[in-house]
Amino acid sequence: MTATEGHGADHPTADRPRQTWDDGLIARRAQRRAEGHAARGETTDAEAVVPADGGVGAAAGPEGPWGDDGRAGGGAAAWAAVGAMGGRGPGGGFAAGAAGDMRTAGGQGAYGSPSYSAYGPGARGFVTGALRPRLEALRQLVGLSRTRLDGRTLAGAGRVLDEADARGRHPLGHTVVALAGATGSGKSTLFNALAGTQLSEAGIRRPTTATPLACAWTDHADGLLDRLGIPMADRRRPAYPYDPALRGLVLLDLPDHDSAAAGHRERVDRLLGLVDAVVWVVDPEKYADAVLHERYLRPLAGYAEVTFVVLNQVDRLPGEAADQVLDDLRRLLDEDGLALGEHGEPGAAVLALSALTGEGVGELRDMLGRLAAECGAAERRLAADVDGATARLRPQYVADGASVGLGDRARAEFEDRLAEAAGAAAAGQAAERAWLRDAEWACGTPWGRVARRGPWGVRGSRGPYGSLGLSSGTGTRRSAGRRVEDAREIPGARAKAAAVEAVTARPAVEEAVRTLADEATAGLPGPWAQAVREAAGWGGRGLPDAIDEAVAAATAGRRPARPGWWSAVASTQVALMLMQLAGMVWLVGIVAGLFGGLLWWLPAMLLSGAVAVSAGLAWGCGVMARGPARRYGRMAEARRREAAVACGRARVLEPVGAELSRYREVRAQYVIAAGGS
């Protein structure tokens, strides 16, 4: 997904080259707006509009019966707006994201219904257990990732959250268990044996069960059965009086998963994605069926704690054959990766029984009774859903074997490269040389100035201590005539920018940005590495011109104060020059006989002494100027460096740092959603 996709009508991006992210604030602000609309009875944009591409809830195609197969409830597409709703489900939802409350601002519970306790006395809900922070983190993860990952990648996580919302609306004191199996495995016979009465037709005709049947040991399961899509005509009651050990159990008899009848497999897969637990019924002839193991048991290895595998029809096996078949079944399940709950360990329960004779049925009934009494199957099932969703998302958030981030060393190297590209060191050296030249001009002998530049105070086009006009010489130079011509053609601020001399080496800046992007993306997963590269690339565009403008602004009018002793030395040099002139006139007069009777050595001493003092003074002032020249050169280098580094920080380092912070925030949510792994 590009930076301009996935936004609503209030986020137009057609005329903007790049979207600026705010590290999670978008979702929270949208949530506050949505709560304000809810308080006024209005509909928010996020609730009313679903993107055409499906957003987070876009169908990703079937991947397994309990995976990304499109759960019922109609909420998958609504998760396209989860990010803009601050991690809330449609209509509010329970465990509402950052709000941390089951109720919205308008006092509404899940899907806009009035707030109520859906669990009843003594029942345990998702929002009070260890699953709540994981679901909230997964909501935040989906919301924060919509701008970086496409909807198909997040579709599985969106459906898990939809399922959590839908299941959370019904009492968790009810446990939905499905009997699933192949044709002729004896599901219907076992269904009748557990119910204690003849509810499902069992016979030799195949397939016997065409539609799912339900038997509930409770009078309050209508809401759950409506969600499962079980019509009233297919709802049954167990033998009266109800077995108190099975109170709260809702048992389903599913069609055959290998049925040749059209639609049977689709109904089985849909219901397997909605129930809390599954009892797989196999028979001695088809317990090793490849379809059963490859399509169902192997993909469902993560749901071992809510899975039962029952070897039915053991009455048909002679002697120790039942134990041998049961051992072979355990071996196959172990190869499928399905953990077996042996020796008190959590995992799938495997047992042998005969639904026809009743052998072992009591043991299965006891297991189902304990499962229903715990009221935890739904939570364990959803925890396995979250485990599966986070496992599929792991490559998008975790890159093993590398540290992630932008260290101080990489930042310092980037700043050094920018300073070098801007010619900071060369500018400092040029400034130092210019200071020394100005000191020599101001404090040198007058005859030396006359010999170098002509009349007093004139140095070609520059006077003493004039503008330095420094340039590094390392960048791409443009002719002054071209710059002036651009300035005449382009009015206003653009003309001012065009008149700035290009002193920055563009290839060096581009190389610095690429190197920084490589350092910043080391160890990042693909989508987030791409986001960091885009941030660095956008900042790098126009960076040389920005550095040129910043350098020009930083160095414009930067003339150091003229030291006071330069004026004193210049005055002394003038006095010494006058003494030299007087000595020369006196000496010439003596030679010409104009000053008879005077000693010739007096004017000679005056002339030679003035020359010596003037030269010595000029040399001493040159020595004294070296220290201030070095300081001035360092100041000029620092000004240019600071100007270049400030541009690099604002245009590259800060956007890259923002993307890395966003990744760390998302990674933290992923770790919570994945259970701290």
Side-chain angles (χ1 to χ4, degrees):
M1 178 179 292
T2 63
T4 59
E5 293 176 351
H7 295 285
D10 57 339
H11 293 283
T13 58
D15 55 348
R16 289 186 297 179
R18 177 173 180 262
Q19 176 66 49
T20 301
W21 310 111
D22 61 358
D23 301 330
L25 292 178
I26 295 175
R28 289 184 277 275
R29 291 171 180 169
Q31 177 184 350
R32 290 195 293 270
R33 290 198 300 270
E35 291 176 349
H37 287 299
R40 296 191 299 270
E42 300 174 0
T43 303
T44 64
D45 293 339
E47 295 169 333
V49 179
V50 177
D53 62 355
V56 174
E63 295 184 7
W66 287 8
D68 300 341
D69 62 336
R71 305 256 170 87
W79 273 100
V82 68
M85 297 170 65
R88 298 190 304 155
F94 80 96
D101 194 352
M102 184 177 175
R103 302 171 183 174
T104 65
Q108 298 293 314
Y111 293 86
S113 59
S115 301
Y116 67 98
S117 175
Y119 312 114
R124 182 165 56 89
F126 304 140
V127 294
T128 61
L131 187 58
R132 174 183 179 178
R134 297 185 64 190
L135 287 172
E136 290 180 352
L138 188 59
R139 293 178 192 275
Q140 292 292 332
L141 184 68
V142 171
L144 291 171
S145 302
R146 289 179 61 243
T147 57
R148 289 292 171 261
L149 305 179
D150 58 71
R152 297 179 66 87
T153 303
L154 296 173
R159 279 189 288 270
V160 170
L161 294 170
D162 285 343
E163 173 64 14
D165 273 344
R167 186 62 180 91
R169 297 175 59 199
H170 302 284
L172 299 185
H174 296 164
T175 302
V176 182
V177 180
L179 297 179
T183 301
S185 60
K187 300 186 306 300
S188 298
T189 304
L190 181 59
F191 182 78
N192 294 332
L194 292 172
T197 184
Q198 187 75 16
L199 299 180
S200 179
E201 180 182 356
I204 60 174
R205 182 176 60 87
R206 298 291 182 263
T208 304
T209 304
T211 60
L213 298 179
C215 179
W217 279 260
T218 175
D219 296 329
H220 307 287
D222 289 341
L224 272 175
L225 295 176
D226 290 341
R227 170 175 169 265
L228 297 174
I230 308 297
M232 294 297 298
D234 294 329
R235 302 179 187 182
R236 305 289 188 267
R237 297 289 185 184
Y240 189 81
Y242 298 164
D243 185 351
L246 299 180
R247 179 177 299 171
L249 178 66
V250 179
L251 190 65
L252 302 183
D253 182 16
L254 302 184
D256 304 329
H257 69 75
D258 60 348
S259 173
H264 284 198
R265 178 177 294 180
E266 288 75 10
R267 283 193 287 270
V268 170
D269 290 349
R270 184 184 67 84
L271 288 173
L272 287 178
L274 298 175
V275 298
D276 300 329
V278 178
V279 177
W280 288 97
V281 183
V282 299
D283 61 79
E285 296 178 354
K286 301 176 68 175
Y287 72 91
D289 181 54
V291 174
L292 171 66
H293 289 270
E294 294 177 6
R295 178 174 172 81
Y296 294 100
L297 294 179
R298 193 168 299 164
L300 303 181
Y303 298 84
E305 292 189 49
V306 289
T307 300
F308 300 81
V309 182
V310 172
L311 177 63
N312 193 18
Q313 304 175 10
V314 294
D315 55 302
R316 297 169 49 193
L317 299 174
E320 298 180 354
D323 292 336
Q324 295 176 358
V325 172
L326 194 62
D327 290 341
D328 192 48
L329 175 60
R330 288 193 177 96
R331 178 187 62 80
L332 293 175
L333 295 176
D334 185 66
E335 292 178 356
D336 292 335
L338 191 69
L340 304 181
E342 300 176 340
H343 311 293
E345 298 176 354
V350 182
L351 67 156
L353 55 80
S354 172
L356 186 62
T357 65
E359 178 186 355
V361 175
E363 183 180 0
L364 177 61
R365 182 183 288 109
D366 292 341
M367 289 182 178
L368 295 179
R370 289 194 296 270
L371 183 70
E374 291 173 358
C375 302
E379 183 174 351
R380 289 198 293 271
R381 159 60 197 275
L382 280 174
D385 284 342
V386 175
D387 289 340
T390 54
R392 289 189 292 272
L393 289 174
R394 181 179 177 85
Q396 309 297 331
Y397 299 100
V398 179
D400 297 327
S403 59
V404 176
L406 192 60
D408 294 337
R409 180 187 59 81
R411 293 175 181 270
E413 290 180 354
F414 175 71
E415 294 175 357
D416 290 342
R417 290 190 181 97
L418 290 186
E420 182 180 358
Q429 295 172 3
E432 181 178 353
R433 290 193 298 268
W435 178 283
L436 291 175
R437 286 196 301 268
D438 287 343
E440 182 182 1
W441 178 266
C443 303
T445 63
W447 306 112
R449 286 197 295 270
V450 173
R452 288 194 305 270
R453 296 299 178 106
W456 173 268
V458 179
R459 297 168 60 185
S461 61
R462 288 176 20 150
Y465 215 81
S467 175
L468 297 177
L470 300 179
S471 163
S472 68
T474 62
T476 303
R477 298 179 179 271
R478 300 179 183 177
S479 66
R482 176 64 180 274
R483 284 291 189 174
V484 173
E485 181 181 354
D486 292 342
R488 288 198 301 266
E489 293 177 354
I490 304 175
R494 293 180 61 194
K496 180 179 179 181
V500 175
E501 183 181 2
V503 298
T504 303
R506 294 177 179 272
V509 172
E510 294 171 358
E511 178 64 22
V513 173
R514 283 195 298 268
T515 303
L516 178 76
D518 292 339
E519 291 279 350
T521 56
L524 281 178
W528 308 98
Q530 180 63 26
V532 171
R533 290 188 183 279
E534 289 177 359
W538 279 101
R541 296 180 185 178
L543 181 57
D545 291 335
I547 293 177
D548 288 340
E549 295 177 7
V551 167
T555 58
R558 292 283 183 171
R559 298 183 181 180
R562 181 186 178 96
W565 61 271
W566 284 11
S567 299
V569 172
S571 301
T572 303
Q573 290 284 19
V574 172
L576 291 172
M577 183 189 68
L578 294 177
M579 292 174 63
Q580 294 173 37
L581 291 174
M584 286 188 294
V585 171
W586 191 356
L587 186 59
V588 170
I590 291 176
V591 173
L594 299 178
F595 303 103
L598 294 179
L599 298 177
W600 62 270
W601 54 268
L602 289 177
M605 291 182 60
L606 178 63
L607 176 61
S608 60
V611 171
V613 172
S614 178
L617 183 61
W619 177 83
C621 289
V623 174
M624 293 177 60
R626 291 175 184 174
R630 284 193 295 270
R631 288 194 296 271
Y632 176 61
R634 287 194 293 267
M635 290 173 57
E637 179 181 355
R639 282 196 299 270
R640 182 164 293 211
R641 177 186 177 86
E642 289 172 1
V645 168
C647 288
R649 288 174 180 169
R651 298 176 68 93
V652 178
L653 286 178
E654 290 180 4
V656 168
E659 289 295 342
L660 291 174
S661 297
R662 184 181 181 86
Y663 168 72
R664 284 191 288 269
E665 180 182 355
V666 172
R667 172 67 186 272
Q669 295 297 330
Y670 174 81
V671 170
I672 298 174
S677 61

